[in-house]
Amino acid sequence: MKRVHRLLTPFLLINPLVLLFLVVGVADVFARAGGGGRYSGGRSSGGGGGGGGGGGGDGLIWLVFQLVRLCIYYPKIGIPVLVIGGPLAVFIFYKSGNAAKGYHESSVIRRGRQMQGHDQRRQNVALLKARDPAFTTEGLLERVRSAFMQIQDAWCNQDMVPVRQFISDGVFERFSLQFDEQREAGYRNQMDRIEVLDTNLADVRSDPVFDTVTVMVRARAVDYSVDRETGKAISGSRRAETFTEYWSFLRRPGAQTLSGGGLIEGNCPNCGAGLKLNEAGKCEACGALVRSGEYDWVLTEITQACEWRVHDDRDLPGINALRKADPAFSPQSLEDRVSVMFWRGIAARRGGTPDPIRKLATEEFCADIAERWELGVSEERHIPVDCAVGSVDTLGIILDDAGDRALLEIRWSSVDAVRKGSAPPKKTSAARLFDEIYVLRRKHGVTSDQEKALSSAHCPTCGAAVASSTANACEYCGTVLNDGAADWVLERVGPLYDPQISELRDALSEQVEIASAAGGSTPPTVGGTAKQGGLELAAWMVHVMLADNEVDSKERTLIDGYAESRGIPAQQIDQLISAMSEGELDAPIPETTDQANAWLAQMAEMALADGFVDKAEREAIFALGDYLELSRYDVNQLILRKRRDLYQDNKAKIRELRRSQ
């Protein structure tokens, strides 16, 4: 017996908890035979099975009790176990309690987000159905799938005429300029084996001017480029790739779902005839301006998954005040108009003349861009090609007796190219990212025309198309279009931290603070400071990790993991890395330590959107923390604080939703 004891002693000293659980396990078997139910649900409910302790406290009490029993009945074993295993047991239960608490908090965050999103959509869909009894989510999704396939076909054919009736001017301008660029380069894009994998109603919102629905579209296709003349493939992959986009459609609140189909089906939603549009975008049969949203849904924006997020226009500074004087104003129509301005600006830079944008921008702006945008055709100049817009967001409105100003943020990417005279441009860099603020101006007292809200590239007076020319007035009715007396015009474009734009953003903040002090409410935040999109944050990662012009497998794994978690295509990451390697990565990055910390906190908040930070996201945040000289402890504390704040917020909202049901 002593020999056995001597053989067991080292094992017990190294693994004291093993014997503890073996011994007390036998004791519990006998206890349960008499009805040991008291061990089955040891922790207190604490109000609904929560509280975050995870059972650690009750488990510790149980452990102490069993250790005391072991010391009494088996002192030669119990005392060494108590000395060596006690602290270890306390540490294990402490860690397990924290893990359980973290899991509980994460679950509450995820459940709260899901409940809020579902409840918001349910309420807004119910509001839509109350006004339009024939509306169904399934019917809408089916129409969006049809619209998606039609637009892919139009894209491959470089002809948007077949879908012109259900897309806004902003979307039309975007595709038209891209087609011009492709034709000049002698190619077209081809998409084969297109397949819509999933569609979901991501967001539904209503305001006095528009109902807005946003549909998440997940699709798969083989995407490559072919020579326009020969049809031979010249670039791209023959492997099908999956992508996700968010498609936003607008409609006037009084519009009704049509049993016979409408714009997407090629029918006039007013008279039912097969639809043909005239120059002003009106049905040739009945004269209705069908793309106004008055009759049917109109596509106004396509947003990449890595940039999409739910917006609430009610929180935008200056919007409510402007609507008192201009009830028909809508941020959606403003964003459509600035999209037209953006693509006309790209056309101006490519063509070397301000004519494409002259009717949409002030005389001062047109004079200023001649030098800044290297306009002209006689010398070598740099132009953007392969442009893509990630998102367009209204930041707010500044009201002034001298004139109202609107600030909008556009996140976009392009490849730099050199053009000599009128020769085709030659690419000189990989893709670059830009985050710019567009400042629009309108004379105070001008009001919006609801019927022409989505006809941003047409004269607001007569409805004629706004053509590229040296004149600043409409060729049909003579209305001067670039002085702000008829509609919003472009006054300035600059980076986020341009001094003049910073002053305007400060004015927005002051306006918010004044309104908040008067109303006693929490002021909304002014966008464009720390709210960077997923692609900008990925570019920051590339900038940090490739600062030594080398990328090892671990760094690439970190970047790829973060990109996948945020829905950023691998091709865009390849472009960012290539640009960084060539010293051409032109992307927004934090300019101060405070900004960098804010970006890091935003990464944590984005990662916690579903309550959990996966390994790839955590390692990415750690890597950027190293750049900021933050320890892993500091970064972990940042994540924990964010999780705790989100937990408390979602816990309160879950209770509120349950009480309202």
Side-chain angles (χ1 to χ4, degrees):
M1 185 68 182
K2 290 182 179 179
R3 176 178 172 81
V4 173
H5 179 72
R6 283 197 301 271
L7 291 172
L8 285 174
T9 298
F11 173 77
L12 296 176
L13 290 175
I14 297 172
N15 298 282
L17 290 180
V18 174
L19 179 64
L20 172 63
F21 286 109
L22 285 174
V23 174
V24 299
V26 174
D28 278 348
V29 169
F30 289 103
R32 291 179 189 279
R38 67 180 182 274
Y39 294 101
S40 63
R43 71 177 183 180
S44 168
S45 65
D58 291 338
L60 186 58
I61 293 172
W62 174 85
L63 175 63
V64 172
F65 175 70
Q66 299 297 347
L67 279 172
V68 172
R69 289 177 60 193
L70 196 62
C71 289
I72 294 173
Y73 294 107
Y74 306 96
K76 291 184 179 180
I77 298 173
I79 292 174
V81 168
L82 180 64
V83 172
I84 299 174
L88 178 60
V90 171
F91 175 76
I92 290 173
F93 275 93
Y94 171 76
K95 294 294 287 184
S96 65
N98 277 347
K101 179 180 179 181
Y103 183 84
H104 171 72
E105 289 181 347
S106 296
S107 298
V108 169
I109 293 170
R110 188 196 312 213
R111 189 165 69 253
R113 291 279 178 94
Q114 290 173 342
M115 288 178 66
Q116 291 173 69
H118 176 74
D119 185 70
Q120 186 69 43
R121 287 192 297 272
R122 179 184 59 80
Q123 291 183 31
N124 288 336
V125 168
L127 179 62
L128 269 177
K129 287 182 69 66
R131 293 197 301 256
D132 177 12
F135 173 85
T136 65
T137 299
E138 295 75 17
L140 173 70
L141 295 180
E142 181 61 35
R143 298 189 73 202
V144 171
R145 287 190 286 269
S146 174
F148 177 86
M149 296 303 292
Q150 290 182 55
I151 286 182
Q152 303 312 318
D153 189 56
W155 169 259
C156 293
N157 292 326
Q158 295 181 331
D159 181 10
M160 298 304 289
V161 172
V163 297
R164 185 69 181 96
Q165 69 272 12
F166 65 85
I167 62 175
S168 70
D169 278 2
V171 175
F172 182 77
E173 292 280 331
R174 166 182 179 171
F175 285 111
S176 296
L177 185 117
Q178 290 173 320
F179 291 159
D180 289 343
E181 183 179 313
Q182 291 173 5
R183 292 188 190 102
E184 184 180 38
Y187 76 94
R188 63 177 177 83
N189 192 238
Q190 180 65 37
M191 299 183 72
D192 294 338
R193 299 188 347 236
I194 304 173
E195 190 180 1
V196 178
L197 303 176
D198 190 22
T199 53
N200 281 311
L201 192 57
D203 191 36
V204 182
R205 296 195 176 267
S206 296
D207 62 33
V209 184
F210 285 116
D211 291 330
T212 306
V213 294
T214 299
V215 175
M216 183 278 293
V217 180
R218 190 167 67 91
R220 181 167 52 215
V222 177
D223 185 359
Y224 58 102
S225 297
V226 300
D227 185 278
R228 277 178 53 86
E229 298 297 329
T230 66
K232 182 180 178 180
I234 55 178
S235 65
S237 171
R238 289 305 183 98
R239 185 180 63 184
E241 296 184 355
T242 301
F243 57 95
T244 301
E245 297 172 338
Y246 288 80
W247 289 41
S248 296
F249 294 79
L250 302 185
R251 191 182 72 170
R252 301 281 297 151
Q256 300 290 302
T257 298
L258 304 170
S259 58
L263 296 176
I264 294 173
E265 292 74 25
N267 301 322
C268 174
N270 184 50
C271 69
L275 192 57
K276 290 184 179 180
L277 300 179
N278 62 19
E279 179 71 16
K282 296 180 178 180
C283 171
E284 290 186 353
C286 67
L289 188 59
V290 295
R291 287 185 298 104
S292 63
E294 184 71 32
Y295 307 97
D296 200 1
W297 297 105
V298 177
L299 176 66
T300 59
E301 192 170 359
I302 300 173
T303 305
Q304 301 306 304
C306 58
E307 296 292 347
W308 188 82
R309 57 188 182 275
V310 175
H311 294 280
D312 192 344
D313 295 336
R314 294 171 300 179
D315 287 342
L316 293 175
I319 296 294
N320 292 333
L322 181 60
R323 277 183 173 153
K324 291 179 180 179
D326 182 11
F329 170 80
S330 73
Q332 297 94 329
S333 61
L334 189 65
E335 289 167 8
D336 191 68
R337 184 163 180 81
V338 83
S339 293
V340 173
M341 294 172 176
F342 172 83
W343 291 109
R344 291 289 179 100
I346 297 297
R349 296 172 74 170
R350 287 177 56 80
T353 172
D355 290 349
I357 200 172
R358 190 177 299 279
K359 292 182 174 65
L360 300 171
T362 65
E363 295 289 350
E364 295 79 8
F365 180 86
C366 291
D368 177 60
I369 61 174
E371 180 177 350
R372 286 200 299 119
W373 287 0
E374 299 181 331
L375 301 187
V377 295
S378 58
E379 70 282 352
E380 178 179 293
R381 57 194 178 85
H382 291 264
I383 63 172
V385 298
D386 293 347
C387 300
V389 173
S391 62
V392 179
D393 298 307
T394 302
L395 302 184
I397 307 293
I398 300 172
L399 302 177
D400 193 301
D401 289 340
D404 302 329
R405 284 183 172 85
L407 272 64
L408 295 96
E409 183 175 16
I410 300 183
R411 290 170 176 161
W412 61 289
S413 66
S414 73
V415 172
D416 184 68
V418 172
R419 160 164 277 167
K420 294 182 179 180
S422 58
K426 293 184 178 180
K427 297 178 183 179
T428 61
S429 75
R432 298 179 174 186
L433 298 177
F434 301 92
D435 190 347
E436 294 183 324
I437 303 298
Y438 276 55
V439 182
L440 276 58
R441 189 182 75 194
R442 190 178 71 170
K443 290 185 178 179
H444 192 63
V446 176
T447 56
S448 305
D449 185 338
Q450 293 181 353
E451 192 178 41
K452 299 184 178 69
L454 302 179
S455 298
S456 310
H458 290 73
C459 174
T461 301
C462 70
V466 174
S468 171
S469 72
T470 57
N472 65 352
C474 173
E475 281 84 356
Y476 291 87
C477 69
T479 300
V480 175
L481 300 176
N482 70 343
D483 61 356
D487 207 338
W488 295 95
V489 293
L490 184 58
E491 182 179 61
R492 185 173 184 82
V493 176
L496 203 60
Y497 301 106
D498 173 270
Q500 292 188 38
I501 288 174
S502 293
E503 288 182 10
L504 292 173
R505 286 177 45 233
D506 289 342
L508 269 184
S509 298
E510 292 174 6
Q511 184 172 281
V512 169
E513 292 171 1
I514 293 172
S516 175
S521 60
T522 302
T525 57
V526 175
T529 51
K531 291 295 182 183
Q532 299 304 311
L535 193 57
E536 280 83 6
L537 294 171
W540 183 30
M541 286 187 64
V542 171
H543 178 85
V544 170
M545 294 185 185
L546 273 68
D548 56 0
N549 290 323
E550 295 182 4
V551 55
D552 59 34
S553 59
K554 180 180 178 181
E555 290 171 331
R556 183 61 198 255
T557 299
L558 286 175
I559 296 170
D560 288 344
Y562 174 76
E564 184 177 359
S565 69
R566 297 263 62 86
I568 303 171
Q571 180 183 5
Q572 288 183 303
I573 297 300
D574 290 338
Q575 291 174 337
L576 291 176
I577 291 175
S578 175
M580 183 68 191
S581 300
E582 297 171 7
E584 296 286 346
L585 182 60
D586 188 357
I589 59 173
E591 296 188 356
T592 66
T593 302
D594 288 342
Q595 289 172 17
N597 278 305
W599 283 36
L600 195 65
Q602 188 189 341
M603 283 190 74
E605 185 172 347
M606 290 172 67
L608 283 162
D610 61 354
F612 297 89
V613 182
D614 65 29
K615 182 179 179 181
E617 292 172 323
R618 187 178 295 273
E619 290 301 320
I621 296 173
F622 280 149
L624 292 174
D626 290 341
Y627 168 72
L628 297 174
E629 298 183 352
L630 296 175
S631 68
R632 291 207 163 197
Y633 173 82
D634 291 332
V635 175
N636 262 325
Q637 289 302 305
L638 181 148
I639 295 173
L640 289 173
R641 284 194 299 272
K642 280 292 179 185
R643 189 180 70 192
R644 195 174 304 119
D645 291 343
L646 291 171
Y647 164 72
Q648 294 295 342
D649 182 54
N650 283 277
K651 184 178 179 181
K653 287 177 178 176
I654 288 173
R655 289 176 176 171
E656 181 181 343
L657 288 170
R658 285 175 173 169
R659 283 195 299 266
S660 65
Q661 292 175 353

